[in-house]
């Protein structure tokens, strides 16, 4: 551990002992994510707490606090905050436990757990203001897609697209971006999936990692949830959940009858495709740039989503063929030299 890391670890422990008035408590790592943020668990007076450590020079904790307050005001279950030190970037928050959706989802539990999650999502989209949040606009949509050619095709596969292939990529990206921009816009969590939802006894699910929220397309979080990079379901089952959510939106007046099942499914498919094209590049960037290999094992599922969904739409057939041509025979979980 570097001296700076040792200093921060000592400061984190000292702060926690001070706010809980307990000089004997210890901290153990609960989890870390793809950013500089980390989470530490402690127990005091028979109650478990989480210390969220967000080094301010890298991860300003104020967006987390602001978005969390909005979600809590809407009745959603986000971690309650007991203490905070914004100068250091330390927050003492409610421990929602360790029962991630990822570990609890199975053929029997999925309908109930996804039903709860879609209820929470509808609340976010109907009761949480988002007009003042950063827009999930054309620039953000395009920059997300551009991560894939740079880090998957060029850095990982070692292939520099020629002019014709760039035409294919740009045409596909245009289809995907126009699809996103055609949708009604609401609150977008941006990472509403099985590693950021927890099974809790009251007001399920517990929701975390919401600090990057945007104002964007209504199917983005639904695609994050049901086309999860970490767990996959048969297409027919996913399509059924998607239709059930369309009906929720229809009943809530977010969409009208002109958005039929086929139109909504296209919105969902291509919005999910945007997410997975971005993630396909992002997971490799986390390794090659940031030295974080933990996401490589999830690349094959993300790649399958991209190929399968693109393959359903004739205007994206050349795009799918381009990726398949250059990924053929490669173990996507193995890093390049």
């Amino acid at each position: 551990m570097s001296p700076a890391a040792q200093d921060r670890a000592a400061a984190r422990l000292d702060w926690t002992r001070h706010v809980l008035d307990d000089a004997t408590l210890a901290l153990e790592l609960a989890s870390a994510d793809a950013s500089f943020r980390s989470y530490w668990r402690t127990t005091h007076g028979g109650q478990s707490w989480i210390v969220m450590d967000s080094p301010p020079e890298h991860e300003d904790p104020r967006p987390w606090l602001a978005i969390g307050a909005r979600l809590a005001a809407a009745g959603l279950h986000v971690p309650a905050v007991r203490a905070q030190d914004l100068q250091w970037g330390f927050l003492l928050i409610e421990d929602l436990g360790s029962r991630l959706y990822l570990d609890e989802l199975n053929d029997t539990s999925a309908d109930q757990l996804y039903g709860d999650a879609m209820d929470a999502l509808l609340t976010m989209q109907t009761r949480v203001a988002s007009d003042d949040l950063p827009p999930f606009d054309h620039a953000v949509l395009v920059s997300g897609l551009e991560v894939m050619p740079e880090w998957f095709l060029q850095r990982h596969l070692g292939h520099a697209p020629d002019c014709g292939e760039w035409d294919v990529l740009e045409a596909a990206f245009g289809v995907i971006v126009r699809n996103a921009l055609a949708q009604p816009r609401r609150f977008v969590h941006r990472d509403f999936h099985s590693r950021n939802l927890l099974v809790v006894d009251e007001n399920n699910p517990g929701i975390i990692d919401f600090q990057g929220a945007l104002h964007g397309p209504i199917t983005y979080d639904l695609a994050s949830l049901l086309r999860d990079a970490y767990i996959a379901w048969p297409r027919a089952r996913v399509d059924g959940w998607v239709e059930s959510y369309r009906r929720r939106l229809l009943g809530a007046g977010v969409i009208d009858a002109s958005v039929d099942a086929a139109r909504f499914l296209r919105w969902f498919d291509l919005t999910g495709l945007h997410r997975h094209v971005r993630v396909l590049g992002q997971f490799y960037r986390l390794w090659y740039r940031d030295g974080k290999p933990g996401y490589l094992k999830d690349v094959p599922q993300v790649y399958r989503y991209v190929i399968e969904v693109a393959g359903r739409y004739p205007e994206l057939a050349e795009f799918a063929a381009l990726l398949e041509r250059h990924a053929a025979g490669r173990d996507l979980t193995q890093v390049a030299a």
Side-chain angles (χ1 to χ4, degrees), residues 105-147:
L105 282 164
N106 56 50
D107 285 342
T108 303
S109 67
D111 285 332
Q112 179 64 52
L113 292 181
Y114 281 138
D116 289 350
M118 287 188 283
D119 286 344
L121 180 56
L122 186 65
T123 297
M124 282 193 283
Q125 295 188 332
T126 56
R127 296 180 56 190
V128 180
S130 66
D131 289 356
D132 61 333
L133 294 179
F136 211 150
D137 58 14
H138 185 276
V140 175
L141 289 161
V142 171
S143 65
L145 293 168
E146 289 174 344
V147 174

Side-chain angles (χ1 to χ4, degrees), residues 219-238:
T219 61
Y220 192 88
D221 283 339
L222 187 66
S224 301
L225 179 69
L226 300 179
R227 289 252 170 82
D228 192 329
Y230 311 114
I231 185 169
W233 301 95
R235 178 181 176 183
R237 198 165 190 187
V238 171

Side-chain angles (χ1 to χ4, degrees), residues 172-192:
F173 292 173
V175 170
I176 294 167
V177 168
R178 287 191 296 274
N179 173 78
L181 294 176
Q183 299 173 43
R185 306 177 78 72
R186 290 290 189 276
F187 180 94
V188 174
H189 177 294
R190 198 156 67 159
D191 278 310
F192 195 71

Side-chain angles (χ1 to χ4, degrees), residues 62-84:
R62 288 174 296 181
W64 188 95
L65 288 165
I67 298 299
R70 292 190 192 198
L71 296 175
L76 295 161
H77 196 161
V78 297
V81 180
R82 169 162 174 170
Q84 62 188 60

Side-chain angles (χ1 to χ4, degrees), residues 17 32 58 86 131-133 189 253 260 314 316 323 331:
R17 287 175 169 176
H58 298 298
L86 297 182
D131 289 356
D132 61 333
L133 294 179
H189 177 294
D260 61 14
L316 296 171
L323 297 185
D331 181 346

